[in-house]
Amino acid sequence: MALCLSQVFNKDKTFRPRKKFEPGTQRFELYKKAQASLKSGLDLKTVVQLPPGENINDWIAVHVVDFFNRINLIYGTMSEFCTEKSCPIMSGGLKYEYRWQDDHKYKRPTKLSAPQYMCMLMEWIEMLINNEDIFPTRIGVPFPKNFQQVCTKILTRLFRVFVHVYIHHFDSIISMGAEAHVNTCYKHFYYFIKEFSLIDHRELEPLKEMTERICH
């Protein structure tokens, strides 16, 4: 069955878009520009490049929020297949296990099931992107000095969602007819993080072969 918008935006689902850009703001205009480029059929490698005259942190902020929403939705569409029983450990195959740490409730890396990890991850990212000290929305308010490091941490953890979904739930992606949609989102994400060197190459290892195949 093909993945449709009504499925993706089902209000009963736990995972759905949680952050929107306010109309009239510079960030909203940048978001519209990015979306227009995506829909124009341009090469994704070109789409992710910083537009002339734009601030790099604004550009990164727009994409981090957009990727959060998109990946949140992708996982939400297949969360029924990712259960405590099917995925008792948050992993990417036999070689990679991801433990959760947030310096609040989990001060040390802690084993969690994949559904628990995903829930903690989405709540943690939502908290960060709604924090005005980290993702300022008011004109004239500067980004913090560690802004790109925070974004690197967010994007690194979002990449792990792709790892888990591709390695453990690819059959479900295919059965829903969502393969092309997920692949396009992954390629967009991958070209963006490569363009701005936002994720350590070692983190990309679990999907290296697939990436070489679909990201030419």
Side-chain angles (χ1 to χ4, degrees):
M1 182 171 73
L3 184 70
C4 61
L5 285 178
S6 61
Q7 233 183 313
V8 172
F9 290 97
N10 185 339
K11 290 182 180 178
D12 295 330
K13 290 197 176 290
T14 305
F15 297 90
R16 56 182 184 270
R18 305 183 186 195
K19 174 76 174 179
K20 294 181 179 178
F21 301 100
E22 290 298 321
T25 62
Q26 183 185 12
R27 202 85 43 85
F28 180 72
E29 295 306 315
L30 257 187
Y31 173 72
K32 285 201 301 183
K33 185 183 290 187
Q35 293 303 304
S37 296
L38 264 181
K39 293 172 183 174
S40 69
L42 287 172
D43 183 347
L44 286 171
K45 289 180 184 175
T46 304
V47 166
V48 299
Q49 292 170 0
L50 181 68
E54 297 295 353
N55 177 282
I56 187 170
N57 283 340
D58 275 318
W59 189 240
I60 290 174
V62 163
H63 281 80
V64 167
V65 173
D66 191 38
F67 287 134
F68 164 66
N69 282 335
R70 289 170 183 268
I71 295 167
N72 194 13
L73 287 171
I74 286 171
Y75 180 72
T77 62
M78 56 196 57
S79 56
E80 63 189 283
F81 305 108
C82 184
T83 66
E84 301 286 329
K85 187 175 180 180
S86 68
C87 306
I89 296 172
M90 175 57 183
S91 62
L94 298 174
K95 286 178 66 178
Y96 302 95
E97 179 186 318
Y98 302 120
R99 298 187 178 190
W100 183 255
Q101 182 176 13
D102 56 20
D103 298 324
H104 295 289
K105 185 177 179 181
Y106 297 94
K107 297 189 177 181
R108 294 181 180 179
T110 305
K111 273 189 180 186
L112 295 178
S113 67
Q116 286 177 306
Y117 186 101
M118 298 295 186
C119 190
M120 296 300 298
L121 173 60
M122 299 309 173
E123 288 180 357
W124 173 76
I125 296 175
E126 187 176 22
M127 177 190 71
L128 289 174
I129 63 179
N130 285 313
N131 185 335
E132 284 285 333
D133 293 332
I134 301 171
F135 280 76
T137 56
R138 295 186 300 278
I139 294 172
V141 177
F143 287 91
K145 290 180 180 179
N146 67 336
F147 176 70
Q148 289 190 24
Q149 288 140 294
V150 172
C151 289
T152 286
K153 197 165 186 179
I154 291 172
L155 292 168
T156 297
R157 289 180 169 183
L158 281 174
F159 181 80
R160 295 171 182 179
V161 180
F162 278 121
V163 173
H164 184 76
V165 166
Y166 270 118
I167 291 176
H168 295 279
H169 301 292
F170 196 65
D171 288 347
S172 299
I173 294 174
I174 293 172
S175 69
M176 290 190 293
E179 183 181 357
H181 171 75
V182 175
N183 283 350
T184 299
C185 184
Y186 176 74
K187 287 194 281 187
H188 186 200
F189 180 93
Y190 177 78
Y191 290 138
F192 184 79
I193 57 105
K194 291 296 285 184
E195 175 74 14
F196 299 103
S197 302
L198 289 167
I199 297 183
D200 189 293
H201 68 93
R202 290 170 295 186
E203 283 282 343
L204 305 177
E205 281 295 315
L207 296 181
K208 184 179 179 182
E209 288 183 18
M210 186 202 76
T211 302
E212 288 173 351
R213 194 167 65 249
I214 71 172
C215 299
H216 304 299

